[in-house]
Short mmCIF file of all heavy atoms in Angstrom, two decimals:
data_model
loop_
_atom_site.label_atom_id
_atom_site.label_comp_id
_atom_site.label_asym_id
_atom_site.label_seq_id
_atom_site.Cartn_x
_atom_site.Cartn_y
_atom_site.Cartn_z
N THR A 1 87.97 19.05 -11.59
CA THR A 1 89.00 19.24 -10.57
C THR A 1 89.04 18.13 -9.69
O THR A 1 87.92 17.47 -9.58
CB THR A 1 88.75 20.57 -9.92
OG1 THR A 1 89.97 20.86 -9.10
CG2 THR A 1 87.56 20.66 -9.02
N PRO A 2 90.23 17.68 -9.09
CA PRO A 2 90.24 16.49 -8.25
C PRO A 2 89.31 16.49 -7.12
O PRO A 2 88.89 17.59 -6.63
CB PRO A 2 91.69 16.52 -7.87
CG PRO A 2 92.39 17.20 -8.89
CD PRO A 2 91.52 18.33 -9.33
N HIS A 3 88.98 15.32 -6.72
CA HIS A 3 88.12 15.13 -5.54
C HIS A 3 88.69 15.82 -4.27
O HIS A 3 89.94 15.63 -4.01
CB HIS A 3 88.07 13.66 -5.21
CG HIS A 3 86.84 13.24 -4.38
ND1 HIS A 3 86.63 13.81 -3.13
CD2 HIS A 3 85.80 12.31 -4.59
CE1 HIS A 3 85.61 13.23 -2.66
NE2 HIS A 3 85.09 12.31 -3.48
N PRO A 4 87.94 16.75 -3.55
CA PRO A 4 88.49 17.31 -2.39
C PRO A 4 88.69 16.30 -1.24
O PRO A 4 88.16 15.18 -1.30
CB PRO A 4 87.50 18.38 -2.09
CG PRO A 4 86.23 17.91 -2.66
CD PRO A 4 86.61 17.09 -3.90
N TYR A 5 89.46 16.64 -0.12
CA TYR A 5 89.69 15.84 0.88
C TYR A 5 89.99 16.59 2.15
O TYR A 5 90.17 17.83 2.14
CB TYR A 5 90.81 14.85 0.60
CG TYR A 5 92.18 15.65 0.41
CD1 TYR A 5 93.09 15.74 1.52
CD2 TYR A 5 92.58 16.30 -0.76
CE1 TYR A 5 94.32 16.46 1.43
CE2 TYR A 5 93.71 17.05 -1.00
CZ TYR A 5 94.65 17.02 0.18
OH TYR A 5 95.82 17.77 0.07
N PHE A 6 90.03 15.94 3.37
CA PHE A 6 90.41 16.60 4.55
C PHE A 6 91.85 16.31 4.92
O PHE A 6 92.60 17.31 5.00
CB PHE A 6 89.44 16.06 5.79
CG PHE A 6 88.12 16.46 5.75
CD1 PHE A 6 87.12 15.55 5.49
CD2 PHE A 6 87.74 17.81 5.80
CE1 PHE A 6 85.79 15.94 5.45
CE2 PHE A 6 86.48 18.18 5.82
CZ PHE A 6 85.49 17.29 5.63
N VAL A 7 92.22 15.02 5.04
CA VAL A 7 93.53 14.76 5.40
C VAL A 7 94.19 13.98 4.37
O VAL A 7 95.32 14.13 3.96
CB VAL A 7 93.57 13.89 6.78
CG1 VAL A 7 94.95 13.40 7.10
CG2 VAL A 7 93.11 14.76 7.88
N THR A 8 93.55 12.81 3.87
CA THR A 8 94.10 11.90 2.86
C THR A 8 93.24 11.89 1.65
O THR A 8 92.04 11.52 1.75
CB THR A 8 94.35 10.58 3.44
OG1 THR A 8 95.09 10.67 4.72
CG2 THR A 8 95.01 9.68 2.45
N PRO A 9 93.73 12.19 0.53
CA PRO A 9 92.88 11.88 -0.76
C PRO A 9 92.46 10.45 -0.88
O PRO A 9 93.32 9.54 -0.75
CB PRO A 9 93.88 12.43 -1.92
CG PRO A 9 94.79 13.31 -1.26
CD PRO A 9 95.01 12.83 0.16
N ILE A 10 91.26 10.25 -1.35
CA ILE A 10 90.75 8.96 -1.37
C ILE A 10 89.48 8.93 -2.30
O ILE A 10 88.62 9.91 -2.12
CB ILE A 10 90.44 8.27 0.03
CG1 ILE A 10 89.90 6.82 -0.30
CG2 ILE A 10 89.35 9.10 0.81
CD1 ILE A 10 89.68 6.07 1.06
N VAL A 11 89.41 8.03 -3.17
CA VAL A 11 88.28 7.94 -4.16
C VAL A 11 87.88 6.58 -4.22
O VAL A 11 88.56 5.75 -4.68
CB VAL A 11 88.44 8.73 -5.47
CG1 VAL A 11 87.26 8.45 -6.52
CG2 VAL A 11 88.78 10.14 -5.36
N GLN A 12 86.61 6.23 -3.89
CA GLN A 12 86.05 4.84 -4.02
C GLN A 12 85.74 4.59 -5.53
O GLN A 12 85.03 5.44 -6.00
CB GLN A 12 84.91 4.63 -3.19
CG GLN A 12 85.34 4.78 -1.70
CD GLN A 12 84.14 4.69 -0.66
OE1 GLN A 12 84.16 4.01 0.32
NE2 GLN A 12 83.02 5.33 -1.08
N THR A 13 86.12 3.49 -5.97
CA THR A 13 85.81 3.21 -7.41
C THR A 13 85.08 1.83 -7.54
O THR A 13 84.49 1.37 -6.76
CB THR A 13 87.11 3.22 -8.21
OG1 THR A 13 88.03 2.26 -7.79
CG2 THR A 13 87.80 4.61 -8.08
N ASP A 14 85.33 1.21 -8.79
CA ASP A 14 84.73 -0.04 -9.06
C ASP A 14 83.35 0.20 -9.69
O ASP A 14 82.71 1.30 -9.53
CB ASP A 14 84.74 -1.05 -7.89
CG ASP A 14 84.60 -2.52 -8.48
OD1 ASP A 14 84.63 -2.75 -9.68
OD2 ASP A 14 84.44 -3.32 -7.58
N SER A 15 82.82 -0.84 -10.26
CA SER A 15 81.48 -0.66 -10.98
C SER A 15 80.92 -2.02 -11.26
O SER A 15 80.99 -2.90 -10.45
CB SER A 15 81.69 0.12 -12.25
OG SER A 15 80.47 0.49 -12.82
N TYR A 16 80.13 -2.19 -12.36
CA TYR A 16 79.62 -3.50 -12.75
C TYR A 16 80.67 -4.50 -12.97
O TYR A 16 81.67 -4.25 -13.60
CB TYR A 16 78.69 -3.37 -13.98
CG TYR A 16 77.77 -2.15 -14.07
CD1 TYR A 16 78.07 -0.97 -14.76
CD2 TYR A 16 76.59 -2.19 -13.12
CE1 TYR A 16 77.18 0.03 -14.77
CE2 TYR A 16 75.73 -1.14 -13.24
CZ TYR A 16 76.07 -0.05 -13.99
OH TYR A 16 75.25 1.04 -14.07
N HIS A 17 80.23 -5.80 -12.70
CA HIS A 17 81.17 -6.90 -13.04
C HIS A 17 80.30 -7.91 -13.74
O HIS A 17 79.07 -8.03 -13.76
CB HIS A 17 81.66 -7.66 -11.79
CG HIS A 17 82.83 -6.81 -11.11
ND1 HIS A 17 84.06 -7.35 -11.01
CD2 HIS A 17 82.73 -5.56 -10.56
CE1 HIS A 17 84.83 -6.44 -10.37
NE2 HIS A 17 83.99 -5.39 -10.11
N LEU A 18 80.96 -8.82 -14.49
CA LEU A 18 80.38 -10.00 -15.12
C LEU A 18 80.70 -11.21 -14.26
O LEU A 18 81.89 -11.46 -14.04
CB LEU A 18 80.90 -10.23 -16.46
CG LEU A 18 80.22 -9.30 -17.68
CD1 LEU A 18 81.14 -9.52 -18.97
CD2 LEU A 18 78.81 -9.75 -17.78
N GLY A 19 79.71 -11.93 -13.98
CA GLY A 19 79.87 -13.19 -13.01
C GLY A 19 79.34 -14.41 -13.83
O GLY A 19 78.31 -14.25 -14.75
N VAL A 20 79.61 -15.56 -13.37
CA VAL A 20 79.09 -16.94 -13.87
C VAL A 20 78.44 -17.54 -12.75
O VAL A 20 78.86 -17.66 -11.67
CB VAL A 20 80.16 -17.70 -14.46
CG1 VAL A 20 79.61 -19.08 -14.80
CG2 VAL A 20 80.83 -16.98 -15.70
N SER A 21 77.29 -17.91 -12.96
CA SER A 21 76.45 -18.62 -11.97
C SER A 21 77.15 -20.03 -11.52
O SER A 21 77.49 -20.79 -12.48
CB SER A 21 75.02 -18.90 -12.43
OG SER A 21 74.33 -19.72 -11.49
N ALA A 22 77.16 -20.25 -10.29
CA ALA A 22 77.86 -21.50 -9.77
C ALA A 22 77.02 -22.61 -10.17
O ALA A 22 77.28 -23.78 -10.11
CB ALA A 22 78.08 -21.44 -8.35
N THR A 23 75.57 -22.35 -10.30
CA THR A 23 74.68 -23.44 -10.58
C THR A 23 74.57 -23.76 -12.25
O THR A 23 73.68 -24.49 -12.68
CB THR A 23 73.34 -23.10 -10.08
OG1 THR A 23 72.82 -21.88 -10.50
CG2 THR A 23 73.47 -23.24 -8.62
N SER A 24 75.30 -22.91 -12.97
CA SER A 24 75.14 -23.10 -14.48
C SER A 24 75.76 -24.55 -14.76
O SER A 24 76.71 -25.06 -14.20
CB SER A 24 76.12 -22.06 -15.05
OG SER A 24 76.25 -22.43 -16.50
N LYS A 25 75.13 -25.12 -15.69
CA LYS A 25 75.57 -26.47 -16.27
C LYS A 25 76.66 -26.26 -17.29
O LYS A 25 77.12 -27.33 -17.78
CB LYS A 25 74.42 -27.12 -16.87
CG LYS A 25 73.27 -27.51 -15.87
CD LYS A 25 72.06 -28.31 -16.50
CE LYS A 25 71.03 -28.67 -15.50
NZ LYS A 25 69.92 -29.37 -16.14
N HIS A 26 76.99 -25.00 -17.57
CA HIS A 26 78.04 -24.90 -18.63
C HIS A 26 78.99 -23.70 -18.15
O HIS A 26 79.30 -22.80 -18.91
CB HIS A 26 77.33 -24.29 -19.98
CG HIS A 26 76.20 -25.25 -20.45
ND1 HIS A 26 76.45 -26.53 -20.97
CD2 HIS A 26 74.83 -25.09 -20.41
CE1 HIS A 26 75.28 -26.96 -21.16
NE2 HIS A 26 74.29 -26.28 -20.85
N ILE A 27 79.61 -23.91 -17.05
CA ILE A 27 80.56 -23.00 -16.57
C ILE A 27 81.69 -22.76 -17.33
O ILE A 27 82.24 -21.64 -17.62
CB ILE A 27 80.98 -23.43 -15.15
CG1 ILE A 27 79.88 -23.29 -14.07
CG2 ILE A 27 82.19 -22.58 -14.63
CD1 ILE A 27 80.15 -23.80 -12.69
N GLU A 28 82.23 -23.73 -17.98
CA GLU A 28 83.41 -23.74 -18.87
C GLU A 28 83.18 -22.81 -20.03
O GLU A 28 83.94 -21.88 -20.38
CB GLU A 28 83.70 -25.08 -19.44
CG GLU A 28 84.84 -25.10 -20.53
CD GLU A 28 86.22 -24.80 -20.00
OE1 GLU A 28 86.47 -24.88 -18.72
OE2 GLU A 28 86.98 -24.20 -20.76
N TYR A 29 81.95 -22.93 -20.77
CA TYR A 29 81.68 -22.03 -21.79
C TYR A 29 81.29 -20.65 -21.45
O TYR A 29 81.53 -19.63 -22.00
CB TYR A 29 80.55 -22.76 -22.78
CG TYR A 29 81.12 -23.98 -23.34
CD1 TYR A 29 81.00 -25.19 -22.85
CD2 TYR A 29 81.85 -23.85 -24.65
CE1 TYR A 29 81.33 -26.29 -23.41
CE2 TYR A 29 82.39 -25.01 -25.22
CZ TYR A 29 82.17 -26.25 -24.61
OH TYR A 29 82.68 -27.42 -25.18
#
């Protein structure tokens, strides 16, 4: 059942991401 709320329904989301190191010698690949 949907997330309960008081005044305004709100649900925080997002999860894992993939990132590329700025110090990588191979950023393009």
Side-chain angles (χ1 to χ4, degrees):
T1 188
H3 198 304
Y5 66 98
F6 289 115
V7 175
T8 307
I10 181 172
V11 175
Q12 300 175 135
T13 60
D14 202 6
S15 191
Y16 312 104
H17 286 242
L18 279 170
V20 171
S21 171
T23 55
S24 168
K25 295 180 180 180
H26 308 291
I27 291 176
E28 173 67 26
Y29 292 96

